[in-house]
Amino acid sequence: MKPFEKILTAHTKKYPKIQPRDIVKLALQSEYGNAHMVSDEGAMLARLKNELDEIPVQQDAEMFEEIGDKYVRLNLASPETREFSPEIINRIFIISSRETKKNSYSFESKLFTASSMANRGLFPFSAKEFNEYLDYYTKRHMGEAMSHSSAYKDAYKPSYRVILSVWKKLFPIIKAVQDASKENSRVILTIDGMAASGKSTAAKYLSQLFNAPVIHTDHFFLPPEMRTKIRMDEPGGNLHRERFFTDVVEKLSANEDFSYRIFDCSKNVLGETVSVPYSKVLIVEGAYSLHPYFGDYATVKVCMTIGPKTQSTRIMKRNGAIMHKRFLTEWIPLENTYLKHFSISEKCDLTVDTV
């Protein structure tokens, strides 16, 4: 069974009053996410607040509903969703809407899958009904956003926001930062963990959400003259922790702008200067970022993990065969030794497993 056929089968079972229009809408959202143009973030926030005021919380409502690999529906009636401020929910929606990448071939393929299912009698309406609506839509409104059918609205009262699937794993971190912000004037979010576990991706999206600068430990590679056997045998010895401490950790307590220089691995010298403006949330991302040498500087500590098979596949796809070998033989063993020796996961507020 094709992936989208599984999605359609699940939705048909869950929503027996689903109509052809709702099937096409599902295909559209699965491929393009929110197809509406978002021009006024403030207006979207006001609309969301009104919607939240009118929607009763459903204690058994799940937070997410799967619609495909790229996107999910965030259920506004879920009690878990209500733990987050409207501002955060709206911001996640806005960020997701701006990353829409249209792939007409993929969308058309999903419509073809739906038509095939209709012809096999797998929907609670006739193949004729579906194909007539599909013909109308593709000729007059192809790719345009649409609302649910009246029958679907009356039966299920849908209330959700379509967001990128990547956010699913980030909500526990968002909650931790949101809660920490209530008790701290500034939150230092530190994301440590395994190679290819999604640390940089998490930092990218959380940076947009919280308007937070990101400091990468990859900027603090150990210079060649310091890579002695004794140093490299130390757990976490692969990071220039002394410079990271003086250039970053010590400056964080000053609550003001600062800067540091990136170590240029191609030339083995300090290169570009990075400016770090003061912000209410600051993110430190990368392996060794929670080394005990730095003390307890982080407000929220996160460890990201990943299974070895998925890790290997991601590195091969991301870095290519030559770098893949170096990761497996050099860098991953060093990182794993550090994580185990200092019990990083156990000392963190959250462990996020990306499988």
Side-chain angles (χ1 to χ4, degrees):
M1 185 182 291
K2 295 180 180 179
F4 191 60
E5 186 169 340
K6 290 182 180 179
I7 295 291
L8 289 174
T9 300
H11 279 254
T12 301
K13 182 178 180 180
K14 185 176 181 180
Y15 305 110
K17 294 186 178 181
I18 198 167
Q19 300 297 306
R21 183 186 186 95
D22 306 304
I23 295 291
V24 174
K25 182 178 179 69
L26 180 58
L28 186 74
Q29 291 180 335
S30 174
E31 187 58 41
Y32 300 151
N34 170 55
H36 295 277
M37 291 296 293
V38 179
S39 57
D40 189 334
E41 189 170 339
M44 292 302 298
L45 176 59
R47 177 180 172 183
L48 174 63
K49 287 181 176 179
N50 289 335
E51 201 169 342
L52 290 171
D53 286 341
E54 296 174 359
I55 302 167
V57 176
Q58 301 174 17
Q59 293 302 323
D60 61 344
E62 295 183 352
M63 189 174 186
F64 305 108
E65 182 172 60
E66 300 297 329
I67 61 173
D69 292 336
K70 299 179 184 178
Y71 297 95
V72 294
R73 289 173 177 172
L74 176 66
N75 188 352
L76 300 182
S78 166
E80 293 175 279
T81 302
R82 296 302 184 95
E83 294 179 2
F84 298 89
S85 71
E87 288 76 14
I88 283 179
I89 295 172
N90 191 60
R91 187 67 187 151
I92 290 171
F93 170 69
I94 297 295
I95 294 168
S96 296
S97 69
R98 289 174 180 169
E99 285 209 12
T100 297
K101 295 180 181 179
K102 293 194 174 184
N103 184 334
S104 58
Y105 174 80
S106 181
F107 176 48
E108 289 169 14
S109 177
K110 288 176 178 178
L111 294 179
F112 179 81
T113 296
S115 180
S116 175
M117 292 179 67
N119 292 334
R120 285 180 280 153
L122 300 179
F123 293 143
F125 43 77
S126 70
K128 183 176 182 293
E129 288 178 278
F130 181 78
N131 290 317
E132 284 181 351
Y133 179 79
L134 183 60
D135 184 63
Y136 162 78
Y137 176 78
T138 54
K139 287 182 178 179
R140 300 191 180 187
H141 302 285
M142 186 64 169
E144 293 181 12
M146 66 181 77
S147 60
H148 280 290
S149 67
S150 297
Y152 190 97
K153 289 179 182 177
D154 292 343
Y156 309 116
K157 297 178 174 52
S159 184
Y160 57 78
R161 292 294 183 272
V162 177
I163 63 173
L164 289 163
S165 297
V166 67
W167 290 105
K168 286 176 62 179
K169 293 284 187 179
L170 302 183
F171 271 97
I173 303 176
I174 297 168
K175 180 68 163 56
V177 173
Q178 177 183 259
D179 292 348
S181 297
K182 298 174 183 177
E183 301 177 0
N184 299 272
S185 59
R186 190 184 200 190
V187 174
I188 308 299
L189 167 63
T190 303
I191 307 173
D192 203 331
M194 302 171 68
S197 60
K199 300 185 297 295
S200 297
T201 298
K204 167 191 168 183
Y205 286 103
L206 294 170
S207 172
Q208 294 178 66
L209 177 63
F210 293 114
N211 193 27
V214 181
I215 297 172
H216 304 277
T217 57
D218 281 352
H219 293 170
F220 295 84
F221 277 117
L222 199 65
E225 64 271 17
M226 296 183 68
R227 298 174 196 168
T228 63
K229 184 179 187 307
I230 293 176
R231 177 62 177 246
M232 298 307 290
D233 284 344
E234 296 177 15
N238 198 33
L239 177 76
H240 195 167
R241 58 178 180 265
E242 296 84 356
R243 189 168 75 88
F244 184 82
F245 182 77
T246 57
D247 288 9
V248 175
V249 177
E250 285 190 325
K251 293 180 179 179
L252 290 176
S253 59
N255 289 334
E256 58 187 28
D257 299 353
F258 68 93
S259 63
Y260 67 86
R261 296 180 69 185
I262 298 174
F263 184 77
D264 186 339
C265 296
S266 65
K267 299 178 182 178
N268 287 323
V269 296
L270 291 176
E272 179 185 353
T273 297
V274 174
S275 297
V276 184
Y278 175 79
S279 59
K280 293 296 181 69
V281 177
L282 183 140
I283 301 169
V284 178
E285 173 275 321
Y288 313 116
S289 56
L290 288 170
H291 195 293
Y293 182 86
F294 306 134
D296 192 22
Y297 76 98
T299 318
V300 176
K301 299 181 283 293
V302 176
C303 181
M304 299 193 71
T305 61
I306 188 172
K309 184 177 180 180
T310 306
Q311 182 185 49
S312 178
T313 301
R314 283 187 183 176
I315 292 172
M316 176 64 81
K317 183 178 180 180
R318 184 186 71 185
N319 302 98
I322 295 176
M323 296 301 288
H324 177 263
K325 183 177 181 180
R326 291 200 67 183
F327 267 97
L328 295 185
T329 60
E330 298 179 44
W331 297 320
I332 289 177
L334 289 172
E335 290 177 5
N336 289 345
T337 297
Y338 152 79
L339 292 168
K340 182 177 180 180
H341 181 82
F342 292 116
S343 303
I344 297 300
S345 179
E346 292 80 357
K347 294 176 181 177
C348 283
D349 302 296
L350 292 167
T351 296
V352 178
D353 186 9
T354 53
V355 187

